[in-house]
Amino acid sequence: MADVIPPIIPTNPVTPELLAQIHAIVGDRGILTDADAMAPFTRDWSGLRQGNAAVVVRPGSTEEVSAIVKLCNQHDVAIVPQGGNTGLMGGATPWPAHTGVLLSLGRMNRVIDVDVEGFTMTVEAGCVLQTLQDVASSHDRLLPLSLGAQGSCMIGGNISTNAGGAQVLHYGTTRSFVLGLEVVLPSGEIWNKLRALKKDNTGYDMKQMFIGAEGTLGIITKAVIKVWPKPKDVATAWIAIKDPQAAVTMLSEAHSASDDTVTSCELINRTGIDGVFRHVHGTSDPLPHSSFWYLLMEWSSTRAKADGEGGMAEKMETFLADMLERGLALDAVIAQSEAQAKAMWKIREGHAEAGRADGPAISYDMSVATTKIPAFVDQGIAAAKAILPNIRPQPLGHIGDGNLHYGFRAPDGMTREAWNQYTPAITRAINDLIRDFGGSISAEHGIGQEKLDELAHYASPVEIATMQAVKRALDPKNLMNPGKIFRM
Ligand SMILES: Cc1cc2nc3c(=O)[nH]c(=O)nc-3n(C[C@H](O)[C@H](O)[C@H](O)COP(=O)(O)OP(=O)(O)OC[C@H]3O[C@@H](n4cnc5c(N)ncnc54)[C@H](O)[C@@H]3O)c2cc1C
């Protein structure tokens, strides 16, 4: 965890009188003040970051959210919005100095409408992502956001972080499927653009401002999201590859070989896989021989294959045979069933859990242009090894989006204290390299509190000042998730 200096948060604490007013709005079901009951909300997913709040408020409707926010605004009390609390940057975790409200959207979990013919769903912000995937699937539709935390993260959190995940290269980030939003502004007013419009050029597209704002500009209460036809023919392959350059070449050629149906392409390496096998029950190697680099690739068609037709798997087999012949792929297996495909994905999705259990490590959620990934991987490893020669590189990620979770594990046996002596220098070296490659220091996880100082270091003064101007216009008292993304 980066050594971030907490910002000064000049807001008021929740008084007993205010607590009584909050209680009058949300009732017994909507309020938690007991330390044990609040603990899952004030501690982050990693368990390493602990914050504070006077009260956890769980409203059941937009009107209740609005009333709470108005009340807090009148009393200068700060609010931290929270969805599933799976964010990795501490955006949903209050600072230790926070004496205000933590507002959890978890009770607002209704699916309001599914327009099957129009390919949209209207949902409350507290719906769990996996529930929405299942609802879409039951209507023969696909909600293409898919990530390791989908069993707990909520759509409001996904929108507030502009979440990415494993299918961005085909369907885009969360931003690409949000058609309409309802947001409670820091004043408590309700900004309502809850519409299923693909086209709307009536001035600034303000909804884009709330997407990815990490709860600093208001609280998302409802959304209209676009869904796609459900794939009927999916081929998933686990491929041992020569190196990251082979991954880029293979992906580039796979687009046309698959009739532009590549939906996922994940770069994985041996250090990470071995960690998953150690810590995630029910995982095993899909291939008999060990290699260092792998690709997990998925092609999906919405057309069901006809009887006797080979479909996507046959097309993929032809492609992989060519890749093996050219030495780009070293070995490969195509899943023969949905269960086998799920087992391959379990290895990919198990990395976060394994990483948490496997001792000191650091990971950079970075992006560069896809074709620059091989050079970046080599130069990044060289830069880190120049600081700590026996560091263990573990680059992993959504290579089709130019996005790696560029990770490093501490050398075997190194204590967390010793490791912490090296990480600031490694972070500076890697982030400088990202800047030199024209990349981003946060591709999909956001800034939260974790990357506050890094963003201040790398963003230009004009970029920061522009964001601060928007923040001041909507939240002049700095009460909505203060001290996240930047200091005011
Ligand atoms: C195992 C694992 C795998 C992951 N994989 C990915 C991945 O592949 N891609 C990816 O992008 N992320 C990934 N993440 C990170 C995380 O799951 C996403 O950022 C997710 O979108 C967060 O949703 P949440 O509901 O948990 O939000 P939270 O963690 O509760 O909140 C995240 C931010 O959004 C704000 N917020 C939450 N709800 C609202 C709301 N209704 N209105 C306004 N602000 C709100 C919070 O204040 C905070 O700043 C992963 C996390 C884990 C633990």
Side-chain angles (χ1 to χ4, degrees):
M1 212 102 316
D3 197 10
V4 185
I5 305 155
I8 297 161
I9 304 175
T11 55
N12 289 333
V14 176
T15 58
E17 295 74 28
L18 185 63
L19 196 59
Q21 287 176 282
I22 292 173
H23 184 261
I25 294 167
V26 293
D28 285 346
R29 286 181 68 197
I31 205 158
L32 301 172
T33 48
D34 176 72
D36 286 346
M38 291 204 297
F41 298 87
T42 53
R43 192 179 307 122
D44 81 334
W45 180 86
S46 73
L48 296 173
R49 190 180 280 111
Q50 178 68 53
N52 245 315
V55 56
V56 172
V57 181
R58 305 177 71 229
S61 68
T62 302
E63 291 66 34
E64 287 185 10
V65 175
S66 167
I68 298 291
V69 174
K70 274 187 186 148
L71 199 57
C72 288
N73 192 298
Q74 279 161 18
H75 292 85
D76 291 353
V77 166
I79 298 177
V80 177
Q82 188 176 95
N85 196 19
T86 68
L88 300 172
M89 295 293 114
T93 313
W95 285 97
H98 183 66
T99 52
V101 166
L102 189 154
L103 191 143
S104 163
L105 278 295
R107 280 183 61 222
M108 292 183 59
N109 56 7
R110 282 167 291 240
V111 176
I112 299 163
D113 180 50
V114 182
D115 180 353
V116 178
E117 212 173 11
F119 288 85
T120 63
M121 287 167 63
T122 305
V123 301
E124 286 190 322
C127 290
V128 169
L129 175 59
Q130 197 167 327
T131 307
L132 295 183
Q133 292 169 346
D134 292 345
V135 170
S137 177
S138 70
H139 291 279
D140 199 28
R141 297 290 177 258
L142 173 78
L143 170 55
L145 179 61
S146 125
L147 43 101
Q150 63 198 26
S152 337
C153 64
M154 295 173 190
I155 194 71
N158 302 142
I159 296 170
S160 300
T161 55
N162 185 27
Q167 300 187 75
V168 169
L169 87 165
H170 194 71
Y171 299 99
T173 60
T174 297
R175 197 179 287 287
S176 71
F177 62 76
V178 177
L179 298 178
L181 286 181
E182 179 191 80
V183 181
V184 172
L185 299 177
S187 60
E189 291 163 294
I190 300 170
W191 181 89
N192 189 343
K193 284 272 200 173
L194 196 66
R195 306 178 195 171
L197 297 186
K198 295 210 172 84
K199 289 182 155 182
D200 176 15
N201 279 351
T202 52
Y204 302 151
D205 187 355
M206 294 302 297
K207 83 171 177 290
Q208 298 297 348
M209 204 77 88
F210 299 113
I211 302 172
E214 300 185 47
T216 59
L217 298 180
I219 300 177
I220 294 170
T221 43
K222 295 191 187 99
V224 182
I225 53 179
K226 179 181 161 196
V227 289
W228 274 257
K230 188 170 153 181
K232 298 288 181 330
D233 182 11
V234 178
T236 309
W238 183 265
I239 314 161
I241 57 166
K242 190 165 156 250
D243 53 23
Q245 181 56 55
V248 171
T249 308
M250 283 175 66
L251 173 61
S252 173
E253 300 199 14
H255 287 303
S256 48
S258 68
D259 292 335
D260 201 16
T261 62
V262 181
T263 38
S264 299
C265 187
E266 301 286 301
L267 181 72
I268 307 178
N269 77 83
R270 195 75 230 172
T271 313
I273 293 169
D274 285 342
V276 172
F277 293 160
R278 267 197 304 279
H279 297 290
V280 182
H281 181 69
T283 49
S284 61
D285 221 323
L287 287 169
H289 303 294
S290 178
S291 212
F292 190 76
W293 294 105
Y294 293 86
L295 270 191
L296 174 58
M297 196 183 271
E298 196 156 274
W299 298 2
S300 314
S301 166
T302 52
R303 194 176 76 82
K305 68 177 173 196
D307 276 350
E309 226 182 34
M312 299 310 289
E314 192 174 281
K315 261 191 206 163
M316 193 183 245
E317 211 173 308
T318 308
F319 169 75
L320 288 175
D322 180 34
M323 296 298 120
L324 285 160
E325 202 174 304
R326 289 163 53 186
L328 295 167
L330 307 176
D331 199 359
V333 57
I334 298 176
Q336 296 302 307
S337 63
E338 209 179 314
Q340 277 185 10
K342 274 196 178 146
M344 291 174 182
W345 275 107
K346 190 168 178 180
I347 302 172
R348 166 63 186 90
E349 303 297 9
H351 275 70
E353 189 185 328
R356 197 161 60 156
D358 222 358
I362 194 157
S363 178
Y364 302 94
D365 166 38
M366 50 70 59
S367 65
V368 293
T370 305
T371 46
K372 291 184 178 171
I373 284 209
F376 180 87
V377 168
D378 287 350
Q379 290 182 39
I381 291 174
K385 281 187 180 275
I387 295 163
L388 185 58
N390 46 355
I391 195 167
R392 293 178 294 159
Q394 192 181 325
L396 160 87
H398 317 296
I399 192 164
D401 317 325
N403 172 203
L404 292 181
H405 300 310
Y406 195 64
F408 294 93
R409 303 216 73 82
D412 256 337
M414 183 177 261
T415 62
R416 191 171 292 279
E417 291 65 38
W419 171 245
N420 288 346
Q421 313 271 308
Y422 292 98
T423 50
I426 297 169
T427 297
R428 185 58 60 237
I430 298 297
N431 284 344
D432 280 356
L433 196 64
I434 294 169
R435 178 201 53 205
D436 297 346
F437 270 71
S440 166
I441 60 162
S442 182
E444 61 175 9
H445 293 160
I447 300 298
Q449 27 178 306
E450 174 74 16
K451 288 190 178 169
L452 205 58
D453 290 333
E454 291 305 296
L455 184 70
H457 185 85
Y458 290 102
S460 70
V462 177
E463 283 171 73
I464 298 281
T466 310
M467 288 196 280
Q468 285 172 331
V470 173
K471 170 79 172 164
R472 261 184 223 111
L474 287 179
D475 184 15
K477 296 192 198 172
N478 192 19
L479 297 175
M480 194 54 75
N481 214 2
K484 309 292 169 65
I485 304 184
F486 43 70
R487 295 186 167 80
M488 288 295 287

